[in-house]
Amino acid sequence: MNQEPRDRIYRVVSDVVGVPIESIDDDSSPDSIPSWDSASHVHLILALEAEFDVSLSPIDAMEMLSVRMIATRLAEHNITETRAP
Amino acid sequence: MTLNNLLHELKPTPSSYLSTARTIEAQDFAQLRPLNVAILSTCNLEPLRPYLMVECAAWGLLVKPYFAPFNQLEQQVLEADSKLYESRPEVVVVATRIEDMAPNLTSRFITMSPSDIDRELRQIEERLRGLAEGVRRISTATILIFNYLSPRFLAAGLADPSLPLSQTSVIQHANEILGDICRTVTDAYVFDYARIVQEFGAQLWYDPKLWYLARIPLGAKAQIETAQHMARYLHAVDSNPCKCLVVDADNSIWGGVVGEEGLTGIELSEDYPGNVYKDFQRTLLSLRDRGVLLALASKNNEQDVLDVLQHHTDCVLGTEDFAALQIHWGDKASSLAAIAEELNIGTDALAFFDDNPVEREWVRSQMPEVTVIDVPENPMQFARALVESGAFDHLNLTSEDRSRIEMYQKEKERRQLYSESPSIENFLRQLEMVATVGHVSGESLPRIAQLLAKTNQFNLTTRRHTSSEIQSMIDAGAVALWLRVTDRFGDNGLVAVAIAVPEDSNGWRVDTFLMSCRVFGRQVESILLGMLSRVIKDRGGEAIVGEYIPTDKNDIASEFYSSHGFYLAEDRVDLQRWIKSNSGIELPDFIVVRSEDESGTTG
């Protein structure tokens, strides 16, 4: 992979909820991004599954409610950083 | 960026479609022709929105579909001032699922009579026609109506194609009805959703290279898939299906532990995660419809579990759906043994479903003959694991299979009566049994051969003659009798068979004598032996030789001849011969006996 997981998560969130990638950080969540509503959350989960080629459980889906939680949950699927962020 | 460039860069991923859709929506490309589309559905189709926008743009259309809140069909269609018409639709898409339109056709199919099915189909027709004509009255929009898929799991499993009216053909019929509606309503068309699903599967199925190179009609994955399914059929041909499914309660048929979380704390509802368990209970119920007995083995306080079964509003299964309940803190192997005993079946006819791997291992180690189902960790895969375990695969579903469940339930009532009756004879008298005995003929042969093939316990010789072998024996002079018995609780069906062949000048050998354990302990066997003795007598038989071939399972029949006044003439390890002069056998007076001519029954 030529991109670190963190960058790829930012890209996916940006594409799905429709905000500029520069405005996204680890604290981004439905609270800070109004367009990250329940409908786009479903899209986000499907987009993450496609991006990282993983199958996420309903519990993953319900807990991935911030960029940081997305990264944590993906790490449990062995999708981790290769360098310090 | 031009539209062409935008579409050119599209990748088949959710995020690519979503960002492309957003751009199309924001830019309003002038070359796109707007088309107003409204979508009505009985489920949540809204996630389709961005994909539909992008795919329509590729055809030169600007589509920003209006999605009605799901399950609002008539409310939207029949009111001229609804949001649907406010959206000025040029196309109205109606997407309903058969599961939502006629739930019984999917989950309770086996319990439905042809007239029930007909009624459900007519209701679907009325509703779809009402919707199509409703739109037509108020708007000129073109109407597209989704047709129906076969359900994910067929109610009869592998036996569906053998049903006189298969579930698949009923769904097909619903689709034909939809075709009729579309032909009679102007500008209404079928959206062939079923075909799309099939084509999507077929794309994964074929490998053109293999076809053109070697005339192989299926690709590598399809070969594995076909082999797996064919193996399931072959397994069904080779082995007997389990008769009873023993399920655990906590974290199996609901989420959580009822003893800790209480009646209202367990997960069982119409929403996630309770809906996963509720659906699994529906799968269990459809197995029960097929004639599989359900039993519960749970380590719990009995009342806690009974409260859920009797009072939880989302509990699909009730106590009456279980043929046996073992709810206590004892070990599960003992519970399984008790269930087999209560139902009068062998423990090898049990399948066991428990989310707890320790319990599964325990049962496996204690009772290797039990089919222990590998339960996946994820409850969303429970139903599939159960269905694909093959434990209940039948290539054929007889009406006998279907009525078996009712018979066992009546048996339960009988036992209650038994515990209330002071003496066994009094109990038997209260049963008001009527036995009908007849000669085996062409019509009854298949059922007779089936009984010979599957009866293990009360079976004196366990000889598995086929239909044609039995016919040859009859042609050569054998007497073959069947017996069926009814009582105040209903018809037990054809439950016993005897075949005797003339040996020498005046002796007859009982080659086969068996009885279903359903009626064991009711002296029905004495009736059949007595009737056999009379028929033999009429044909000049002066002595009866009874044979007993001991097996692991037929000890229950070992005293049959001694208790009817036979003496042991030959005692080998593998065969006992019992003899009695044919001076008649006393018939119990609490069973009314009829011959087939009197009752008009032929078996």
Side-chain angles (χ1 to χ4, degrees):
Chain A
M1 286 293 149
N2 53 9
Q3 268 186 313
E4 289 303 320
R6 200 60 123 231
D7 303 329
R8 291 161 70 196
I9 294 171
Y10 286 8
R11 166 57 54 200
V12 169
V13 173
S14 160
D15 283 346
V16 172
V17 304
V19 295
I21 194 163
E22 303 77 29
S23 69
I24 294 171
D25 59 28
D26 278 11
D27 291 322
S28 296
S29 75
D31 290 334
S32 64
I33 303 176
S35 59
W36 187 340
D37 58 12
S38 60
S40 55
H41 191 66
V42 172
H43 285 300
L44 180 59
I45 296 304
L46 298 178
L48 289 167
E49 287 192 329
E51 174 70 24
F52 294 102
D53 193 21
V54 287
S55 175
L56 300 173
S57 71
I59 293 167
D60 288 330
M62 290 193 301
E63 296 200 349
M64 286 178 154
L65 286 174
S66 69
V67 168
R68 184 173 287 107
M69 280 308 298
I70 290 171
T72 307
R73 280 276 163 177
L74 285 175
E76 288 165 15
H77 289 272
N78 294 319
I79 295 159
T80 49
E81 310 278 334
T82 53
R83 60 173 160 79
Chain B
M1 192 187 286
T2 68
L3 181 62
N4 275 347
N5 287 344
L6 189 64
L7 293 173
H8 189 72
E9 285 179 12
L10 180 70
K11 286 187 281 294
T13 64
S15 49
S16 180
Y17 269 87
L18 281 151
S19 62
T20 307
R22 189 167 299 106
T23 309
I24 292 168
E25 191 154 23
Q27 303 236 343
D28 273 337
F29 291 103
Q31 70 266 47
L32 294 179
R33 197 178 71 71
L35 183 70
N36 287 346
V37 177
I39 300 179
L40 306 169
S41 63
T42 57
C43 52
N44 182 6
L45 285 184
E46 234 177 304
L48 271 180
R49 191 174 197 276
Y51 301 95
L52 195 57
M53 284 191 70
V54 173
E55 292 296 337
C56 286
W59 289 94
L61 297 171
L62 180 63
V63 171
K64 299 178 179 178
Y66 162 72
F67 286 88
F70 82 77
N71 243 341
Q72 279 204 13
L73 301 172
E74 283 77 3
Q75 299 92 317
Q76 297 280 337
V77 165
L78 303 178
E79 302 289 332
D81 58 354
S82 69
K83 294 264 187 222
L84 169 68
Y85 300 115
E86 218 171 88
S87 76
R88 304 192 163 280
E90 295 163 272
V91 180
V92 173
V93 179
V94 178
T96 66
R97 301 185 322 141
I98 195 89
E99 289 87 344
D100 303 321
M101 296 289 273
N104 286 339
L105 278 187
T106 46
S107 59
R108 304 304 306 278
F109 184 76
I110 299 279
T111 63
M112 300 181 77
S113 67
S115 63
D116 293 336
I117 291 169
D118 202 51
R119 194 175 328 110
E120 297 273 349
L121 286 172
R122 273 205 308 274
Q123 281 171 6
I124 293 172
E125 173 170 15
E126 256 173 52
R127 194 165 176 206
L128 288 176
R129 186 178 290 281
L131 289 168
E133 289 175 348
V135 172
R136 186 49 60 251
R137 262 198 303 278
I138 297 173
S139 139
T140 56
T142 299
I143 305 165
L144 292 180
I145 307 179
F146 275 50
N147 63 4
Y148 298 118
L149 304 179
S150 277
R152 179 82 175 74
F153 301 115
L154 292 170
L158 302 187
D160 186 62
S162 311
L163 295 178
L165 188 58
S166 75
Q167 197 173 14
T168 313
S169 72
V170 169
I171 305 297
Q172 182 56 37
H173 191 164
N175 287 339
E176 282 160 17
I177 288 172
L178 174 59
D180 284 342
I181 294 171
C182 290
R183 272 190 296 280
T184 54
V185 176
T186 313
D187 270 341
Y189 303 95
V190 176
F191 179 71
D192 197 350
Y193 185 60
R195 176 71 200 172
I196 297 167
V197 173
Q198 193 194 329
E199 278 181 22
F200 188 74
Q203 274 175 28
L204 302 169
W205 201 256
Y206 298 116
D207 182 341
K209 164 186 79 225
L210 290 182
W211 173 252
Y212 288 111
L213 278 175
R215 286 189 173 270
I216 299 167
L218 65 182
K221 280 185 177 164
Q223 291 173 22
I224 295 173
E225 192 71 14
T226 304
Q228 283 174 346
H229 284 262
M230 200 179 286
R232 229 182 111 187
Y233 275 77
L234 298 177
H235 169 259
V237 171
D238 174 65
S239 63
N240 289 323
C242 295
K243 291 176 183 162
C244 174
L245 172 64
V246 183
V247 287
D248 165 53
D250 289 333
N251 286 315
S252 288
I253 61 172
W254 55 72
V257 177
V258 66
E260 287 169 19
E261 276 116 308
L263 182 65
T264 53
I266 55 170
E267 288 159 357
L268 190 60
S269 65
E270 280 294 341
D271 299 304
Y272 186 83
N275 55 0
V276 178
Y277 294 97
K278 191 166 180 179
D279 246 8
F280 183 55
Q281 289 201 7
R282 292 191 182 105
T283 304
L284 296 178
L285 197 58
S286 91
L287 269 184
R288 177 190 170 277
D289 291 343
R290 261 200 243 175
V292 174
L293 296 163
L294 299 181
L296 194 71
S298 167
K299 286 185 181 173
N300 259 312
N301 294 325
E302 188 173 24
Q303 199 52 48
D304 289 343
V305 172
L306 293 181
D307 278 348
V308 180
L309 296 178
Q310 289 162 354
H311 304 303
H312 197 293
T313 47
D314 283 299
C315 196
V316 175
L317 297 167
T319 44
E320 71 281 3
D321 295 316
F322 291 98
L325 298 168
Q326 288 286 324
I327 310 165
H328 49 67
W329 297 96
D331 87 287
K332 297 243 172 156
S334 310
S335 291
L336 264 66
I339 287 165
E341 195 183 332
E342 184 178 347
L343 301 178
N344 246 331
I345 57 179
T347 48
D348 60 352
L350 299 179
F352 179 55
F353 188 100
D354 195 315
D355 69 291
N356 185 339
V358 177
E359 298 290 5
R360 297 201 297 271
E361 196 44 47
W362 170 249
V363 168
R364 240 183 230 121
S365 69
Q366 296 302 300
M367 309 171 102
E369 71 279 13
V370 171
T371 302
V372 178
I373 291 165
D374 290 318
V375 179
E377 278 186 36
N378 183 346
M380 286 191 279
Q381 284 153 13
F382 281 3
R384 189 173 169 181
L386 185 61
V387 169
E388 294 187 350
S389 73
F392 307 102
D393 282 348
H394 260 286
L395 295 184
N396 232 322
L397 204 65
T398 62
S399 55
E400 191 84 12
D401 288 328
R402 260 171 279 170
S403 52
R404 190 192 306 130
I405 189 83
E406 284 170 29
M407 289 195 271
Y408 277 102
Q409 272 171 354
K410 285 172 183 153
E411 180 68 29
K412 208 170 157 187
E413 285 178 48
R414 279 181 201 107
R415 277 169 186 264
Q416 264 160 11
L417 187 65
Y418 180 77
S419 56
E420 290 159 11
S421 314
S423 82
I424 178 75
E425 193 174 321
N426 198 9
F427 160 72
L428 293 173
R429 209 167 284 287
Q430 285 176 14
L431 280 177
E432 298 163 14
M433 285 183 277
V434 177
T436 308
V437 177
H439 285 272
V440 174
S441 64
E443 217 176 317
S444 53
L445 260 180
R447 169 68 184 142
I448 302 293
Q450 199 190 3
L451 259 182
L452 259 64
K454 73 180 190 191
T455 306
N456 296 317
Q457 297 183 81
F458 198 97
N459 190 337
L460 274 296
T461 57
T462 322
R463 291 187 176 119
R464 312 290 196 194
H465 301 305
T466 62
S467 299
S468 55
E469 284 165 356
I470 298 168
Q471 188 60 57
S472 311
M473 291 168 81
I474 295 169
D475 293 343
V479 167
L481 299 178
W482 52 255
L483 177 145
R484 58 189 308 148
V485 64
T486 61
D487 58 40
R488 55 183 269 207
F489 294 103
D491 190 355
N492 291 278
L494 206 158
V495 289
V497 177
I499 304 172
V501 294
E503 274 219 309
D504 44 43
S505 56
N506 56 6
W508 284 62
R509 180 177 63 83
V510 184
D511 172 90
T512 296
F513 197 104
L514 61 84
M515 181 180 72
S516 163
C517 276
R518 238 177 5 237
V519 294
F520 183 72
R522 292 161 56 170
Q523 301 189 28
V524 169
E525 65 276 22
S526 303
I527 299 284
L528 185 60
L529 188 62
M531 294 303 280
L532 184 68
S533 142
R534 286 185 195 179
V535 175
I536 290 172
K537 185 96 178 169
D538 288 346
R539 300 201 183 178
E542 295 299 330
I544 308 176
V545 179
E547 291 178 327
Y548 173 64
I549 300 175
T551 69
D552 289 344
K553 294 184 172 174
N554 72 353
D555 189 55
I556 194 172
S558 61
E559 294 183 2
F560 175 61
Y561 287 117
S562 63
S563 67
H564 286 91
F566 287 63
Y567 71 89
L568 187 58
E570 189 178 344
D571 187 10
R572 304 205 312 255
V573 184
D574 59 343
L575 176 72
Q576 295 174 357
R577 284 168 69 88
W578 295 78
I579 295 183
K580 186 180 189 304
S581 76
N582 195 3
S583 49
I585 283 163
E586 200 185 333
L587 303 185
D589 67 351
F590 45 79
I591 304 178
V592 175
V593 184
R594 291 184 183 150
S595 75
E596 64 182 310
D597 315 322
E598 295 168 55
S599 68
T601 317
T602 55

